[in-house]
Amino acid sequence: MCESFQAEFPTVLLYILDTPRVHDAQVFLSNMLQCLSIVYKTKLAVVLVYNKVDVLEAGFAAQWMKDSSLIHSVLESGTASYSSELAKSLASTISEFYADLKYVGVSALKDEGFAQLLDSLADVGQGSSGSKRNKT
């Protein structure tokens, strides 16, 4: 179905993250892995949308995305467990995937970030135009 849409229209995947929940580094990495899986399965361009930025700004996540050593330090400061060791390994493996993704923070409550979301969709959508549209 995604391939059909992509063949006809500019198609972009919005991956919505609950900002207060992804403040936990393991939850953040779990979400990034899920997003990676969806992107590889659908082969669509993606924009990450950090929701509820009125509760917690998404700046920490932007820093984690750009500098994997920051998320490693957060993971190392936590309790040592199997899941934390797995998360550290995962952070090293998938950081290349999410380092260059477009992202935007939005708040439905305060009506913030929607203009930036539309700009990001337009930017990413330029590269994902349908094949029939490119031929005309």
Side-chain angles (χ1 to χ4, degrees), residues 59-78:
F60 70 92
Q63 291 175 343
W64 288 353
M65 289 172 62
K66 293 197 182 324
D67 185 357
S68 63
S69 66
L70 294 175
I71 198 161
H72 273 278
S73 63
V74 171
L75 290 166
E76 288 174 358
S77 68

Side-chain angles (χ1 to χ4, degrees), residues 15-74:
Y15 190 84
I16 313 296
L17 299 112
D18 186 73
T19 307
R21 289 184 190 256
V22 298
H23 192 256
D24 179 328
Q26 289 185 20
V27 174
F28 172 81
L29 288 169
S30 176
N31 273 273
M32 290 299 107
L33 183 61
Q34 180 70 28
C35 183
L36 172 67
S37 173
I38 292 169
V39 167
Y40 279 129
K41 183 177 181 179
T42 62
K43 297 177 178 72
L44 293 174
V46 65
V47 174
L48 298 178
V49 180
Y50 289 95
N51 194 17
K52 300 180 186 172
V53 295
D54 55 291
V55 176
L56 179 65
E57 286 293 325
F60 70 92
Q63 291 175 343
W64 288 353
M65 289 172 62
K66 293 197 182 324
D67 185 357
S68 63
S69 66
L70 294 175
I71 198 161
H72 273 278
S73 63
V74 171

